[in-house]
């Protein structure tokens, strides 16, 4: 199985897809090869020396803990634990998190062993070779192993509260589907989706995969930000949170960390969308659902 990199520098870095491509070998995707970490770091671009957020050890310690904690469980179980802690440890702005080269380095330079452990599927037949999908190393934000966790925590947190992100990340179909939606950037929409999970309105993958495209399609005619307005976002809270990175303690391993002290989503906006989404779900075509179950 792919091992922890032999060489880990002090700082995080970024690496382009072109530079990274030579390190994403068939052997790595099959979990047989390691990443030549010294060679990789020779071509990677090291990030700012004076930024406490970019200390590699802060992130690698979290990943090491996740590997120990969930080693005997299904790898998917690690998502809900790691997502909020990764988000809190990095304290990125959305502009910074949109840098694909940053996440590519995270996957190849910091924790290729985690990517393989988390995403290597079971062989489909005796003697067949299972492979990690290449996009877990180099893919878009909704597929790449670490980017998807950061964005899930960012989009589903409710101000400083990461609990809604934990709920969302605990459902793989929600995590995989919702991050693709344009409307998920609307905070009341994200919280309404979590509320439907918490109440058991949607449970199975089929139900989630029927609901999310219905919500996205309805947004073309019903402007969610008008019928369920959010509060105006204040960037000061995020700036203060980022400034506090140098003195921040490591993310707690048991209780959840705190995100930036932004105002929470208005409850009336969430509930109005919950009611609307329940109507959409009742009419959505869920594979295997009978007409009686549709009500």
């Amino acid at each position: 199985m792919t091992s922890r990199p032999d060489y880990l520098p002090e700082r995080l870095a970024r690496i382009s897809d072109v530079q990274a491509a030579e390190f994403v070998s068939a052997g790595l995707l099959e979990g047989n090869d390691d990443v030549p970490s010294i060679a990789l770091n020779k071509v990677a671009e090291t990030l700012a020396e004076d930024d406490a957020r970019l200390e590699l050890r802060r992130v690698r310690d979290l990943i090491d803990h996740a590997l120990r904690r969930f080693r005997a469980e299904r790898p998917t179980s690690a998502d809900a634990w790691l997502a909020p802690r990764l988000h809190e440890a990095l304290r990125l702005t959305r502009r910074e998190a949109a840098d694909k080269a940053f996440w590519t380095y995270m996957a190849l330079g910091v924790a290729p062993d985690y990517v393989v452990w988390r995403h290597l599927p079971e062989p489909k037949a005796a003697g067949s070779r299972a492979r990690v999908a290449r996009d877990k190393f180099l893919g878009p934000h909704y597929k790449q192993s670490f980017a998807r966790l950061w964005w899930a925590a960012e989009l589903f947190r409710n101000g400083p509260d990461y609990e809604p992100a934990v709920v969302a990340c605990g459902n793989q179909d929600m995590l995989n589907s919702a991050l693709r939606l344009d409307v998920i950037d609307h905070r009341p929409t994200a919280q309404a989706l979590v509320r439907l999970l918490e109440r058991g309105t949607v449970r199975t993958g089929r139900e989630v995969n029927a609901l999310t495209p219905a919500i996205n399609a309805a947004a073309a005619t019903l402007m969610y930000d008008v019928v369920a307005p959010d509060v105006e976002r204040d960037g000061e809270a995020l700036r203060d949170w980022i400034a506090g990175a140098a003195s921040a303690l490591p993310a707690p391993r048991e209780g959840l960390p705190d995100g930036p002290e932004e105002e929470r989503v208005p409850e009336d906006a969430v509930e109005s969308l919950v009611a609307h989404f329940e109507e959409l779900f009742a009419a959505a075509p869920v594979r295997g659902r009978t007409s009686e179950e549709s009500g």
Side-chain angles (χ1 to χ4, degrees):
M1 186 67 76
T2 299
S3 301
R4 189 179 193 267
D6 289 332
Y7 171 69
L8 290 171
E10 293 184 3
R11 313 293 299 171
L12 293 172
R14 57 192 306 276
I15 186 169
S16 71
D17 282 1
V18 172
Q19 293 170 314
E22 67 176 287
F23 299 101
V24 186
S25 64
L28 174 64
L29 297 179
E30 292 171 3
N32 296 322
D33 290 352
D34 296 335
V35 173
S37 52
I38 293 178
L40 177 88
N41 280 283
K42 284 182 178 179
V43 298
E45 175 191 347
T46 303
L47 297 175
E49 291 286 342
D50 59 348
D51 194 334
R53 300 175 300 160
L54 302 177
E55 294 176 2
L56 188 148
R57 177 182 54 81
R58 291 165 65 99
V59 177
R60 184 65 222 197
D61 285 352
L62 280 177
I63 292 167
D64 286 336
H65 186 90
L67 285 168
R68 292 192 300 269
R69 186 185 188 105
F70 297 99
R71 180 66 72 181
E73 301 182 32
R74 294 186 63 173
T76 52
S77 302
D79 288 351
W81 185 90
L82 185 56
R85 292 167 176 84
L86 180 69
H87 186 275
E88 190 273 342
L90 290 172
R91 302 195 181 204
L92 303 174
T93 66
R94 290 191 178 189
R95 181 185 294 273
E96 290 169 332
D99 182 6
K100 192 170 181 288
F102 176 83
W103 299 113
T104 300
Y105 182 82
M106 281 280 295
L108 286 170
V110 179
D113 53 326
Y114 182 89
V115 178
V116 170
W117 170 81
R118 169 60 184 83
H119 295 288
L120 186 66
E122 293 292 332
K124 294 183 178 180
S128 65
R129 293 183 177 179
R131 282 190 175 188
V132 174
R134 193 170 184 271
D135 56 25
K136 300 305 178 187
F137 285 96
L138 302 177
H141 76 279
Y142 53 84
K143 287 189 175 182
Q144 204 270 354
S145 186
F146 294 110
R148 67 196 285 268
L149 296 180
W150 189 95
W151 281 103
E154 171 66 12
L155 294 169
F156 283 107
R157 67 182 173 86
N158 191 357
D161 182 11
Y162 285 115
E163 185 58 39
V166 172
V167 174
C169 291
N171 184 301
Q172 287 299 302
D173 292 286
M174 181 64 76
L175 179 58
N176 294 333
S177 298
L179 292 186
R180 301 169 183 258
L181 303 181
D182 293 335
V183 295
I184 203 64
D185 191 47
H186 179 235
R187 296 199 307 160
T189 295
Q191 294 307 308
L193 283 171
V194 171
R195 200 69 54 85
L196 293 173
L197 285 175
E198 290 176 324
R199 294 178 181 177
T201 305
V202 293
R203 300 181 302 276
T204 68
R206 291 180 179 181
E207 291 173 343
V208 169
N209 291 329
L211 174 64
T212 50
I215 289 173
N216 212 42
T221 55
L222 181 66
M223 299 181 67
Y224 295 153
D225 57 343
V226 173
V227 300
D230 196 0
V231 295
E232 186 174 345
R233 304 288 293 275
D234 179 8
E236 190 64 31
L238 179 62
R239 288 190 290 271
D240 289 345
W241 188 63
I242 290 173
S247 58
L249 296 173
R253 278 21 179 184
E254 298 304 326
L256 287 173
D258 293 324
E261 286 294 330
E262 295 175 329
E263 192 170 346
R264 294 172 184 263
V265 179
E267 184 63 21
D268 57 347
V270 176
E271 286 300 327
S272 67
L273 286 182
V274 167
H276 178 61
F277 293 167
E278 286 174 338
E279 294 178 3
L280 291 177
F281 178 61
V286 179
R287 188 161 56 91
R289 182 168 67 177
T290 66
S291 57
E292 289 80 6
E293 290 174 322
S294 300

